[in-house]
Amino acid sequence: RNMKQTDLSKKTKIATSTISNYEIDSISVSAENLNILAEACDFELLVKDKKTEKIYKLEDMKRFQNDVRVRK
């Protein structure tokens, strides 16, 4: 979105060095930071359930975080 790392850092409160490391693929971005970065760039992250084809917003996934079940 034509934004410098320093501008993105100020907008997201994510360190410039962290953003730089994301760009060079030195570290993996967490889902939370990915969502913050997407929002700062006017994007919305969506997750699609392959089985039901239902679409969820990433923030909706937080409610499922503690609802992990192993199916056999």
Side-chain angles (χ1 to χ4, degrees):
R1 296 281 184 202
N2 261 347
M3 202 179 308
K4 294 181 180 180
Q5 288 179 355
T6 52
D7 298 329
L8 188 57
S9 176
K10 288 176 188 174
K11 192 169 184 177
T12 62
K13 307 288 190 259
I14 297 172
T16 305
S17 60
T18 301
I19 293 169
S20 175
N21 283 325
Y22 292 155
E23 283 191 357
I24 62 173
D25 205 20
S26 176
I27 59 173
S28 297
V29 60
S30 68
E32 183 178 352
N33 278 358
L34 183 59
N35 194 45
I36 291 168
L37 292 164
E39 290 285 331
C41 296
D42 297 321
F43 285 94
E44 179 178 48
L45 294 181
L46 302 173
V47 178
K48 180 180 176 183
D49 183 321
K50 286 182 177 181
K51 189 173 183 177
T52 65
E53 297 196 10
K54 186 171 180 176
I55 305 292
Y56 297 95
K57 291 182 179 182
L58 195 59
E59 62 239 19
D60 294 336
M61 298 304 292
K62 289 181 183 177
R63 68 180 177 169
F64 297 118
Q65 201 168 16
N66 296 322
D67 189 27
V68 177
R69 297 185 179 113
V70 177
R71 295 190 179 113
K72 293 183 180 184

